[in-house]
Amino acid sequence: MSFFLFVKQIVDMLYQYKFLDYIMVGLVLLLLVYQTALVRPDLRRWYTKADLIILLLGTLTTIGFLKTPVAYENYFKVISAFLMYFVGRIYYDRIQECYGALVSGAYLIVYLNFFKRIQHFGWDLLKVKDAGGDFYYYDTDMAFAIILAMVFIAMFGKNTVIKYLTIFAVCPYLVFYSDAGIQKILMLAVYAIILVYLTELVFRKQKLTSIVLTLMIIGMIAVVITIYLPVMGVENKELILGLFDNRLLNNSNMYDRYTKWENILSIFHQKGIGERLFGAGLDAGIPIESLYIKLLYALGYVGVLLALLLIGYITYCVVKIEDRKTFYLAVIMAVMLMGTGVTINSMECVQMSWFPLLFAGMVISSVREGGREKDAFFDYHCMLK
């Protein structure tokens, strides 16, 4: 498992060698089969409602693939993310013993890209506006990897000078001196969540920090809704686009995105009732640069409902976790996956989906094994009381 966690971050950087992704999926399947055969869990006791939802989402994704076989790569990426969820479910205790591998891989990713930046730009490091992705294809991919690495180093790394230099100087430099767009805002959000966590550790005010964190998440959701207002009928796009016209963001790409989103939704609403309920397929003919709109188009209203139930169930389990570090890590992973999904279909990018789904599985297993997971969230009789 240590080898897998270390190599995963390296494979994400070597995006041009696609066969490595297939090897990693094979390794995931091997890990699942091996541990299942070794442990032989009692499925009746081990099973949770979240597992069922994941299986149903996988079934809808498979149906969508059968409708549009040309989208086999997208299917492979999404199903592999679901497999990572089950790796987290089965290996959650083992993974906790391998956090050192995550930190080692994170340091390697950060400094390989930092030295690449130095090699490319030399003395003009502070003049960089578009880094060309460094070792990644786009700056967005690079920034996501750096933020993820920063989180692993901050949460699990030993307290050394190099740790603080990395998370407060090198990582923010790589992200903010790039054309990473929304990743810059996400990095600020992640820093804010880590600050709340540190405040809780120092002042032992869990209720207060929980309120602050809740308000932050509500604010983030409000921002996401605001971004999507133009495709929900709001006429004044210029007002919304003004949010992207600042020093951190660039609104030039949003005009094109809004046009594509409106076209996709128009096509979707012209589909038959069956396709609107269960999805129109994984290939819409044009790229859908949004996790949420792609979810609606590919899996339909039923898929959206299942996704909301999954988010609700995982959230229910997250608040039951006694280990506050795991709690904050789960929150950060959710913010990264769903925040990136505003302008990128993050579920169809193995770099962006694997670790969040892995930690989601760990959250479910942690609460389940601790005897703290209750079925009241889905219990109809309890809801009537």
Side-chain angles (χ1 to χ4, degrees):
M1 181 53 67
S2 293
F3 173 78
F4 174 81
L5 295 175
F6 174 80
V7 170
K8 174 65 179 78
Q9 297 177 77
I10 310 301
V11 170
D12 288 338
M13 187 174 66
L14 302 174
Y15 67 91
Q16 64 269 43
Y17 302 107
K18 292 185 178 181
F19 72 92
L20 292 176
D21 287 329
Y22 291 96
I23 292 175
M24 292 298 290
V25 172
L27 184 56
V28 168
L29 289 171
L30 182 62
L31 288 170
L32 287 173
V33 171
Y34 171 77
Q35 191 69 3
T36 302
L38 183 66
V39 177
R40 295 183 180 180
D42 183 348
L43 295 180
R44 289 176 298 180
R45 298 182 60 187
W46 185 81
Y47 150 87
T48 69
K49 301 298 188 301
D51 302 335
L52 175 61
I53 296 173
I54 288 287
L55 291 174
L56 290 174
L57 286 170
T59 301
L60 283 179
T61 303
T62 302
I63 293 172
F65 164 65
L66 294 175
K67 292 179 180 178
T68 53
V70 68
Y72 65 91
E73 287 192 1
N74 295 341
Y75 175 71
F76 157 78
K77 293 172 182 177
V78 174
I79 292 299
S80 67
F82 292 155
L83 290 177
M84 285 300 294
Y85 164 84
F86 287 106
V87 170
R89 288 280 285 114
I90 295 176
Y91 280 92
Y92 84 98
D93 53 345
R94 294 279 301 278
I95 293 172
Q96 293 179 5
E97 301 171 357
C98 303
Y99 285 151
L102 287 175
V103 175
S104 299
Y107 274 120
L108 186 61
I109 289 296
V110 170
Y111 284 99
L112 281 175
N113 283 275
F114 182 57
F115 292 136
K116 172 71 172 179
R117 185 80 62 91
I118 293 175
Q119 179 190 26
H120 188 187
F121 293 98
W123 294 104
D124 295 327
L125 286 177
L126 298 181
K127 298 179 181 179
V128 177
K129 294 183 178 180
D130 186 341
D134 293 325
F135 275 112
Y136 292 83
Y137 191 71
Y138 291 119
D139 278 2
T140 299
D141 303 324
M142 176 274 298
F144 187 95
I146 296 302
I147 297 171
L148 188 65
M150 183 272 289
V151 170
F152 291 151
I153 294 170
M155 300 297 265
F156 307 122
K158 295 180 179 179
N159 292 325
T160 61
V161 173
I162 190 66
K163 170 182 176 176
Y164 294 110
L165 177 67
T166 302
I167 63 178
F168 291 119
V170 179
C171 288
Y173 164 75
L174 288 170
V175 173
F176 288 106
Y177 284 85
S178 71
D179 186 31
I182 199 170
Q183 301 296 336
K184 299 175 184 178
I185 302 299
L186 282 179
M187 188 170 212
L188 292 176
V190 170
Y191 275 128
I193 294 171
I194 293 176
L195 178 61
V196 172
Y197 170 59
L198 293 176
T199 302
E200 180 177 315
L201 287 180
V202 173
F203 296 102
R204 305 288 182 179
K205 300 290 185 179
Q206 182 174 325
K207 290 185 178 179
L208 178 61
T209 53
S210 294
I211 293 173
V212 172
L213 185 63
T214 300
L215 293 175
M216 288 172 56
I217 293 174
I218 291 174
M220 294 176 196
I221 294 172
V223 170
V224 172
I225 293 174
T226 302
I227 291 173
Y228 281 96
L229 285 177
V231 296
M232 291 189 287
V234 174
E235 298 295 334
N236 190 359
K237 293 182 183 179
E238 298 300 325
L239 178 63
I240 306 301
L241 287 169
L243 297 172
F244 295 88
D245 189 15
N246 53 59
R247 296 180 62 182
L248 292 179
L249 300 174
N250 186 341
N251 67 1
S252 61
N253 293 327
M254 288 305 297
Y255 287 97
D256 184 51
R257 286 195 180 100
Y258 279 133
T259 300
K260 290 180 179 178
W261 292 348
E262 289 170 349
N263 290 340
I264 289 297
L265 289 176
S266 177
I267 294 171
F268 175 76
H269 290 307
Q270 293 173 12
K271 299 288 185 180
I273 184 65
E275 291 178 309
R276 279 180 286 160
L277 280 175
F278 300 105
L282 301 186
D283 183 22
I286 59 175
I288 304 178
E289 297 177 340
S290 165
L291 168 62
Y292 308 104
I293 293 179
K294 183 59 180 287
L295 173 64
L296 175 63
Y297 183 89
L299 303 185
Y301 296 123
V302 173
V304 172
L305 177 61
L306 288 173
L308 290 174
L309 287 175
L310 180 64
I311 292 170
Y313 193 85
I314 293 176
T315 302
Y316 173 79
C317 289
V318 165
V319 298
K320 297 295 182 181
I321 297 176
E322 294 183 348
D323 181 357
R324 300 299 288 175
K325 179 178 288 189
T326 301
F327 167 81
Y328 279 96
L329 186 62
V331 171
I332 289 172
M333 290 294 163
V335 167
M336 291 184 64
L337 177 66
M338 303 183 72
T340 303
V342 173
T343 57
I344 297 173
N345 186 2
S346 47
M347 275 300 293
E348 291 182 0
C349 177
V350 294
Q351 174 199 355
M352 298 177 180
S353 63
W354 275 30
F355 278 116
L357 267 293
L358 175 75
F359 282 98
M362 290 178 63
V363 164
I364 301 297
S365 283
S366 176
V367 175
R368 184 70 169 181
E369 291 297 318
R372 299 184 59 84
E373 188 242 59
K374 306 294 183 183
D375 286 334
F377 184 85
F378 283 85
D379 191 339
Y380 176 77
H381 297 289
C382 183
M383 291 171 65
L384 292 178
K385 290 182 180 180

